[in-house]
Amino acid sequence: MQFKEKQSIYQQIAEYMYEQVLGGKWPDDTRIPSIRDMAVQMEVNPNTITRTYTLLQDQGIIYNQRGIGYFTTAHASEVARVQKKQEFIQTFLPEVFKTMASLNMPVEELEALYRDYMTQNKGRLYENK
Amino acid sequence: MQFKEKQSIYQQIAEYMYEQVLGGKWPDDTRIPSIRDMAVQMEVNPNTITRTYTLLQDQGIIYNQRGIGYFTTAHASEVARVQKKQEFIQTFLPEVFKTMASLNMPVEELEALYRDYMTQNKGRLYENK
Amino acid sequence: MQFKEKQSIYQQIAEYMYEQVLGGKWPDDTRIPSIRDMAVQMEVNPNTITRTYTLLQDQGIIYNQRGIGYFTTAHASEVARVQKKQEFIQTFLPEVFKTMASLNMPVEELEALYRDYMTQNKGRLYENK
Amino acid sequence: MQFKEKQSIYQQIAEYMYEQVLGGKWPDDTRIPSIRDMAVQMEVNPNTITRTYTLLQDQGIIYNQRGIGYFTTAHASEVARVQKKQEFIQTFLPEVFKTMASLNMPVEELEALYRDYMTQNKGRLYENK
DNA sequence: GTGGTCTAGACCACC
DNA sequence: GTGGTCTAGACCACA
């Protein structure tokens, strides 16, 4: 996996995991890769994965069974969806709208850009990795 | 001024200055507050303001007259607009659209949220502080 | 059986067995469930039960007859009582008192909480499961 | 500082910090030792202190000012008191009472032990370090 | 100076 | 095998 510069690696891996859950790759209440396996897969130090898993556990997306491994929670996908949507609407969108206002960009242009984006990425979403 | 946690302070101040320029508070080719005044106003270490001013100077939004002070450039507002729009479309929007896709949020909902936002903030934009 | 997070499973099962002995469910010198049966009953890996039984055996609460099974010792209840009381007074209570001191909680409040607890759980103690 | 075996070091340091706050050594809204200083003082790796500080920050006892250091929050002592008391009553005391019941220990004995403890430790509480 | 992050490697208890 | 913790050392952005 390639990492961007601006965000910390463990957060980017958290993003990746959100995608797995939201995209249905990791159904509710199933085992996910062990810390060591994930570290190998992501080409990263196990400690970094530990950081990510701890974060996701605090957020109620995954949990741990002693000596066995990590699992998605029973309502992981729902929790993830609600959480991400709330964050999106409350902290992300206002930034978007504020910027649009300062640029005098009409909502129609936003729509147009959206359609461009969707046709370009049609079918490619969540096929990553 | 209150600062968010996630972004560095000098960048948040840069954001603030962009707003001043784009909102017409700081017309092209006019003097802006000295580093010291700005530091007092923002309740921040002068070093931090220096960093912001250096950034804005590199971007061609402001320039320095030795011993006199900092000024907005002749085309500050235009430069700011172009620059911000480019950043918005290339690095910000893709994130927005990707999140929308993962949440199955239709573009119509985005529009609706936009209109909500605009009615709520009608006339309040750029009355900051 | 539901397990808490902070304590290891084999120790929690040991706790459960102490209760059986102290509560008279398992009289002195009687057979207790086999490792396999206990594992099924507790929904746990047999290895974990083995660990618990080994611990209890070391403490003189149970013993093993090869090929037959595990039994409580002749003085199991007495041994368990003494042992638990010692542990309680030497390692547990000091923590309690220290916390009370830091919270400025008077001993009267402790008493009151004790009576609350006892009335709520009257008759329910050792009706476990 | 000497560490016990059963609890992880970073949690024991968290306990220590709670004592500082509850005992008034660290008033509300004051700077606390930097991560590096604390690491030296506790004879521990800075990463371990980071772990502790992150925990306390999540609990709202301390907060961070970028590039400056960590501070106790405005209501640190209150938050700490409430939090610790709740934990004590809900998760600690039931264990105590349950054990007392299984040992047939009357509440009077608990009182007596409490008075013993207090006379022994009179004046010594919170004078540590 | 500050904290934030990451790596490499290790040891441990537990299942 | 699993995760949890700790160390030593490093680099970076930031104030």
Side-chain angles (χ1 to χ4, degrees):
Chain A
M1 189 165 178
Q2 281 297 9
F3 297 104
K4 306 174 204 164
E5 289 185 1
K6 293 305 277 181
Q7 209 178 3
S8 57
I9 294 178
Y10 83 92
Q11 283 172 332
Q12 293 183 51
I13 295 175
E15 278 301 314
Y16 167 80
M17 292 175 65
Y18 265 88
E19 288 175 13
Q20 301 306 304
V21 169
L22 288 172
K25 301 279 174 47
W26 290 353
D28 289 353
D29 208 9
T30 39
R31 180 147 190 256
I32 65 173
S34 76
I35 289 183
R36 286 166 170 81
D37 287 352
M38 197 68 162
V40 171
Q41 184 181 331
M42 292 289 169
E43 298 174 29
V44 138
N45 187 290
N47 283 337
T48 306
I49 302 295
T50 299
R51 205 126 158 47
T52 305
Y53 278 23
T54 303
L55 176 67
L56 275 281
Q57 190 170 35
D58 289 348
Q59 296 183 339
I61 310 291
I62 63 179
Y63 70 98
N64 176 300
Q65 285 202 1
R66 311 178 71 108
I68 300 179
Y70 276 91
F71 297 76
T72 52
T73 57
H75 305 290
S77 58
E78 181 61 15
V79 172
R81 232 193 92 266
V82 170
Q83 190 156 334
K84 199 160 189 178
K85 185 157 189 174
Q86 178 176 337
E87 181 196 347
F88 181 64
I89 291 182
Q90 290 188 355
T91 71
F92 215 58
L93 274 191
E95 287 299 313
V96 173
F97 295 152
K98 194 173 156 199
T99 304
M100 284 174 63
S102 74
L103 292 171
N104 283 325
M105 180 191 282
V107 70
E108 288 77 16
E109 188 171 351
L110 186 67
E111 279 183 69
L113 287 165
Y114 176 76
R115 295 190 207 290
D116 286 357
Y117 178 84
M118 291 312 269
T119 51
Q120 274 177 32
N121 295 74
K122 181 187 289 190
R124 271 207 287 130
L125 289 169
Y126 296 107
E127 288 180 11
N128 63 321
K129 192 70 200 174
Chain B
M1 187 163 178
Q2 280 297 9
F3 296 104
K4 304 175 205 165
E5 289 184 1
K6 297 301 281 182
Q7 208 179 2
S8 59
I9 293 178
Y10 86 94
Q11 282 172 330
Q12 293 183 50
I13 296 175
E15 275 302 312
Y16 168 80
M17 293 176 65
Y18 265 89
E19 288 176 13
Q20 303 305 304
V21 169
L22 288 172
K25 301 278 173 48
W26 289 353
D28 291 352
D29 209 9
T30 41
R31 181 149 191 255
I32 64 173
S34 74
I35 287 183
R36 286 180 200 197
D37 288 353
M38 199 65 162
V40 170
Q41 184 181 332
M42 293 289 169
E43 297 174 33
V44 140
N45 190 300
N47 286 337
T48 305
I49 302 296
T50 302
R51 190 146 188 186
T52 304
Y53 278 23
T54 303
L55 175 66
L56 275 282
Q57 192 169 31
D58 290 347
Q59 296 182 340
I61 310 290
I62 63 178
Y63 69 98
N64 179 21
Q65 286 206 357
R66 304 184 69 109
I68 301 179
Y70 281 88
F71 297 77
T72 53
T73 57
H75 305 289
S77 59
E78 181 61 15
V79 172
R81 233 194 92 268
V82 170
Q83 186 147 346
K84 199 159 188 179
K85 183 156 188 174
Q86 178 176 338
E87 180 198 346
F88 181 65
I89 291 180
Q90 290 188 356
T91 70
F92 211 60
L93 274 190
E95 287 299 314
V96 173
F97 295 153
K98 193 173 155 199
T99 303
M100 283 174 63
S102 75
L103 292 172
N104 284 324
M105 182 190 281
V107 70
E108 287 77 15
E109 188 171 351
L110 187 67
E111 279 183 71
L113 287 164
Y114 176 76
R115 298 194 205 289
D116 285 355
Y117 179 83
M118 291 314 266
T119 51
Q120 274 177 32
N121 295 74
K122 182 187 287 187
R124 271 206 286 131
L125 290 169
Y126 297 107
E127 288 179 10
N128 65 314
K129 197 62 201 180
Chain C
M1 189 163 177
Q2 280 297 9
F3 297 103
K4 303 177 204 162
E5 290 182 0
K6 293 306 274 183
Q7 211 179 0
S8 59
I9 293 177
Y10 87 93
Q11 282 173 330
Q12 293 184 50
I13 295 175
E15 275 301 313
Y16 167 80
M17 292 176 64
Y18 265 88
E19 287 176 14
Q20 302 307 304
V21 169
L22 287 171
K25 302 281 173 47
W26 290 353
D28 290 353
D29 207 10
T30 40
R31 183 151 191 253
I32 64 173
S34 73
I35 289 183
R36 286 180 198 194
D37 287 354
M38 198 66 162
V40 171
Q41 184 182 332
M42 293 289 169
E43 298 174 33
V44 140
N45 190 300
N47 285 337
T48 306
I49 302 295
T50 301
R51 191 146 188 186
T52 304
Y53 278 24
T54 302
L55 175 66
L56 274 281
Q57 192 168 31
D58 289 348
Q59 297 182 339
I61 310 289
I62 63 177
Y63 69 99
N64 180 20
Q65 286 205 357
R66 303 184 72 109
I68 300 180
Y70 280 87
F71 296 77
T72 53
T73 58
H75 304 290
S77 58
E78 181 59 16
V79 172
R81 232 194 94 267
V82 170
Q83 187 149 344
K84 200 159 189 180
K85 184 156 188 174
Q86 178 177 340
E87 181 197 346
F88 181 63
I89 292 181
Q90 290 188 355
T91 71
F92 212 60
L93 274 191
E95 287 300 313
V96 173
F97 295 152
K98 193 174 157 200
T99 304
M100 284 174 63
S102 75
L103 292 172
N104 283 325
M105 181 190 282
V107 71
E108 288 77 16
E109 188 171 353
L110 186 67
E111 278 182 69
L113 287 164
Y114 176 76
R115 297 191 205 290
D116 286 357
Y117 179 83
M118 291 313 267
T119 52
Q120 274 178 32
N121 295 74
K122 181 186 289 189
R124 271 207 285 132
L125 289 170
Y126 296 106
E127 290 178 9
N128 65 312
K129 193 89 211 196
Chain D
M1 188 164 179
Q2 280 297 9
F3 297 104
K4 303 176 206 165
E5 289 186 359
K6 290 306 275 182
Q7 209 179 3
S8 58
I9 294 178
Y10 83 92
Q11 283 172 332
Q12 292 183 50
I13 296 176
E15 278 301 314
Y16 168 79
M17 293 175 66
Y18 265 90
E19 287 176 13
Q20 302 305 303
V21 169
L22 288 172
K25 302 278 173 48
W26 289 354
D28 289 353
D29 209 9
T30 39
R31 182 148 189 255
I32 65 174
S34 75
I35 288 182
R36 286 164 171 81
D37 287 353
M38 197 66 161
V40 170
Q41 184 181 331
M42 292 289 169
E43 299 174 29
V44 138
N45 187 289
N47 283 337
T48 305
I49 302 295
T50 300
R51 205 124 157 48
T52 304
Y53 278 23
T54 303
L55 175 67
L56 275 282
Q57 190 170 35
D58 289 348
Q59 297 183 340
I61 310 290
I62 61 177
Y63 70 98
N64 176 299
Q65 284 202 5
R66 310 179 70 106
I68 299 178
Y70 277 91
F71 298 76
T72 52
T73 57
H75 305 291
S77 58
E78 180 61 15
V79 172
R81 233 193 89 267
V82 170
Q83 190 154 335
K84 199 159 189 179
K85 184 156 189 175
Q86 179 175 339
E87 182 196 344
F88 181 63
I89 292 181
Q90 291 188 354
T91 72
F92 212 60
L93 275 191
E95 288 298 315
V96 173
F97 296 153
K98 195 173 154 199
T99 303
M100 284 174 63
S102 75
L103 292 172
N104 283 323
M105 181 190 280
V107 70
E108 287 77 17
E109 188 172 352
L110 185 68
E111 278 183 71
L113 288 164
Y114 176 77
R115 298 196 204 289
D116 286 357
Y117 178 85
M118 290 314 266
T119 52
Q120 275 177 32
N121 296 74
K122 182 187 286 187
R124 271 206 286 131
L125 291 170
Y126 295 108
E127 288 178 9
N128 64 321
K129 194 73 201 170

